Amino acid sequence: HLDFAGLMEKVAQISPLLRVRFATSHPKDISDSLIQTIAKYPNICKYIHLPVQSGSSVVLKKMNRVYNREYYLERINTIKKWIPDIALSTDILSGFCGETDQDHQDTLSIMKEVEYSSAFMFRYSVRNGTKAAENLIDDVPDEVKAKRLEEIIALQQQLSLENNQKDIHKIFEVLVEGVSKRSDKKMFGRTSQNKVCVFPRQDAKVGDYVHVKVVSCTAGTLITELVDPC
């Protein structure tokens, strides 16, 4: 019997040049063995997308997410312990049925505690056929949803910028993905932490690995220069 951690290990062993990234994990499925496998292999990306949806245990229960705030944070702490250079991203939903201002504050506080590098952020809307549509009342006014989402987006912008600022002066191995949208004299690629880097084109080709040093950043991009292999 091969579990997901074992499958990741087998894929990572195919070639050290093969960069392995898996897209998303439900918090209930992020096992210790999977975390340790990610930590063990340099070619498994040090990036985990772990959707939280809400920082409030009350809302999570209504969403039928089968975990609470404490469990989620325990998983995050375990990930950070095993993989100190991990980048974490998430999905956040504002204005779910019955969400109070305190529930919203709980979401903001979990964002600060985890320090996500990025997030996909949405306001709740009824989806036909779901349990929420059948059993819960969509009772948070649109203007409240919009205001809460604005606060979530503003906080994430700040967290993303602070997260990227910590990378200034660091050297990363980057997989070249293509020519920069803003200048054909520059290329872009991603670090193991799934962060987009822009760097001078020189001889870099798509599919190459290059080493770059971070010189500045925005909330969404690391501005880098090429360095000799470290």
Side-chain angles (χ1 to χ4, degrees):
H1 172 67
L2 190 68
D3 64 5
F4 186 66
L7 177 64
M8 286 284 282
E9 182 161 49
K10 284 204 175 301
V11 174
Q13 288 170 345
I14 291 169
S15 164
L17 295 176
L18 177 70
R19 185 178 270 192
V20 183
R21 187 193 310 282
F22 74 102
T24 188
S25 185
H26 192 290
K28 71 178 170 52
D29 297 325
I30 191 95
S31 65
D32 285 6
S33 61
L34 179 56
I35 293 165
Q36 289 163 24
T37 300
I38 294 168
K40 181 178 173 184
Y41 288 93
N43 62 331
I44 298 182
C45 290
K46 304 303 177 253
Y47 164 77
I48 294 174
H49 182 74
L50 203 63
V52 67
Q53 304 298 358
S54 171
S56 161
S57 292
V58 175
V59 173
L60 291 170
K61 191 169 185 182
K62 281 185 189 166
M63 288 178 172
N64 199 26
R65 290 290 289 173
V66 305
Y67 58 86
N68 60 17
R69 179 189 178 98
E70 289 69 33
Y71 173 87
Y72 184 92
L73 285 172
E74 182 278 321
R75 289 289 79 195
I76 293 291
N77 291 334
T78 302
I79 290 166
K80 288 182 175 181
K81 184 181 82 179
W82 280 95
I83 320 168
D85 59 343
I86 196 73
L88 295 152
S89 64
T90 199
D91 297 342
I92 296 171
L93 200 57
S94 84
F96 191 73
C97 309
E99 183 184 74
T100 65
D101 195 53
Q102 183 56 54
D103 295 328
H104 171 60
Q105 294 303 320
D106 288 347
T107 294
L108 296 176
S109 74
I110 207 168
M111 290 170 69
K112 290 175 193 167
E113 188 162 345
V114 177
E115 297 180 321
Y116 296 108
S117 64
S118 61
F120 296 95
M121 300 157 284
F122 312 92
R123 67 166 97 172
Y124 173 71
S125 58
V126 176
R127 228 186 252 174
N128 289 330
T130 60
K131 282 191 174 177
E134 290 164 14
N135 302 312
L136 299 172
I137 301 164
D138 180 17
D139 56 357
V140 179
D142 276 348
E143 60 271 23
V144 175
K145 287 181 190 174
K147 181 173 176 292
R148 288 178 184 170
L149 183 60
E150 274 175 28
E151 287 179 21
I152 287 167
I153 290 169
L155 174 58
Q156 186 54 53
Q157 279 288 103
Q158 177 194 331
L159 292 173
S160 295
L161 182 60
E162 288 170 3
N163 196 292
N164 283 350
Q165 284 169 339
K166 290 176 189 167
D167 289 336
I168 291 175
H169 306 311
K170 287 184 186 174
I171 291 174
F172 291 98
E173 183 180 67
V174 167
L175 177 59
V176 182
E177 290 188 25
V179 178
S180 167
K181 290 188 196 117
R182 298 198 174 177
S183 166
D184 61 6
K185 293 184 175 64
K186 294 190 172 177
M187 303 289 276
F188 79 94
R190 288 170 202 268
T191 67
S192 177
Q193 288 76 14
N194 204 34
K195 293 187 180 185
V196 174
C197 294
V198 175
F199 46 89
R201 189 167 190 165
Q202 294 186 11
D203 301 325
K205 299 185 298 296
V206 172
D208 286 351
Y209 284 104
V210 295
H211 290 93
V212 300
K213 184 175 183 180
V214 183
V215 291
S216 66
C217 69
T218 65
T221 308
L222 299 176
I223 314 302
T224 69
E225 58 189 23
L226 287 162
V227 295
D228 292 327
C230 47

